[in-house]
Amino acid sequence: MAMSYSDKVVDHYTNPRNVGTIENASGVGTVGNAVCGDIMRIYLDIDDETQVIKDAKFKTFGCGAAIATSSMATEMIIGKTVQEALQVTNKAVMEALDGLPKIKVHCSLLAEESIHAALWDYAEKHGIVIEGLEKPKEDVYEDASPEEIAAAEAAEARAMAEEEEKEDYGEYSIF
């Protein structure tokens, strides 16, 4: 059974929005996934007075779903306050993309954590506290036990073995 992506996922992968970097960014957040090797970096330009995100860019190394979730996440936070951006969850990113295959849900987790990491960096640079923001993880499996990591690796391997269209798993980079 081949993996099925929504039209929105395909669109954000083939025509990603907000690719690049922001010179002198207000905040930069990088998060990875040791199991699959994806790395996502989000850059924010935030108005210091209003705390509104004026611009967001990303660079991602990973599969098409990782690129699509990065693209959608940046679209979702531009124009929002830091507090509103903090409320963007992996579930919201998946819903905005009309879903992701189960094996690609971790990509949306990377998007959420990358936003949090960039907001954390902004808060640290400016000596402020963003209510509700906790120190982000550098790896989405950071707090996982060796058994949980092994189970995640095994699940990833099983899912990949079940897929017929191997091009869905090619590594792509906008890094």
Side-chain angles (χ1 to χ4, degrees):
M1 176 170 82
M3 204 173 340
S4 178
Y5 290 105
S6 71
D7 290 342
K8 283 186 182 179
V9 171
V10 172
D11 180 43
H12 276 269
Y13 163 66
T14 58
N15 303 294
R17 283 67 152 181
N18 308 309
V19 175
T21 62
I22 296 175
E23 193 171 322
N24 300 314
S26 305
V28 180
T30 304
V31 179
N33 180 326
V35 172
C36 73
D38 292 345
I39 301 170
M40 191 175 293
R41 181 172 294 151
I42 291 185
Y43 301 79
L44 302 177
D45 180 14
I46 301 171
D47 183 294
D48 291 331
E49 288 185 32
T50 63
Q51 291 195 330
V52 169
I53 299 171
K54 299 186 295 185
D55 196 10
K57 301 281 186 202
F58 79 92
K59 286 195 165 192
T60 293
F61 176 82
C63 63
I67 292 168
T69 56
S70 302
S71 174
M72 180 56 81
T74 57
E75 287 284 283
M76 293 174 74
I77 62 175
I78 293 173
K80 302 256 196 259
T81 65
V82 295
Q83 202 61 51
E84 292 168 332
L86 182 59
Q87 304 308 312
V88 174
T89 64
N90 74 301
K91 184 177 178 186
V93 173
M94 286 192 306
E95 287 174 357
L97 288 168
D98 293 337
L100 287 172
K102 186 177 180 180
I103 190 66
K104 296 299 181 178
V105 169
H106 69 274
C107 296
S108 64
L109 289 168
L110 284 173
E112 177 183 344
E113 289 294 325
S114 294
I115 292 168
H116 291 183
L119 291 172
W120 182 268
D121 184 51
Y122 168 72
E124 285 203 324
K125 285 178 179 176
H126 291 81
I128 63 171
V129 173
I130 299 173
E131 190 176 330
L133 180 62
E134 297 178 10
K135 186 171 181 173
K137 300 173 184 177
E138 291 181 18
D139 184 309
V140 293
Y141 287 107
E142 187 172 290
D143 297 329
S145 70
E147 294 81 17
E148 290 169 320
I149 292 171
E153 288 172 340
E156 179 98 3
R158 277 192 309 276
M160 288 179 69
E162 292 172 3
E163 296 302 325
E164 295 174 350
E165 295 183 15
K166 298 205 186 294
E167 65 269 10
D168 286 338
Y169 287 100
E171 289 295 324
Y172 306 97
S173 179
I174 301 184
F175 213 86

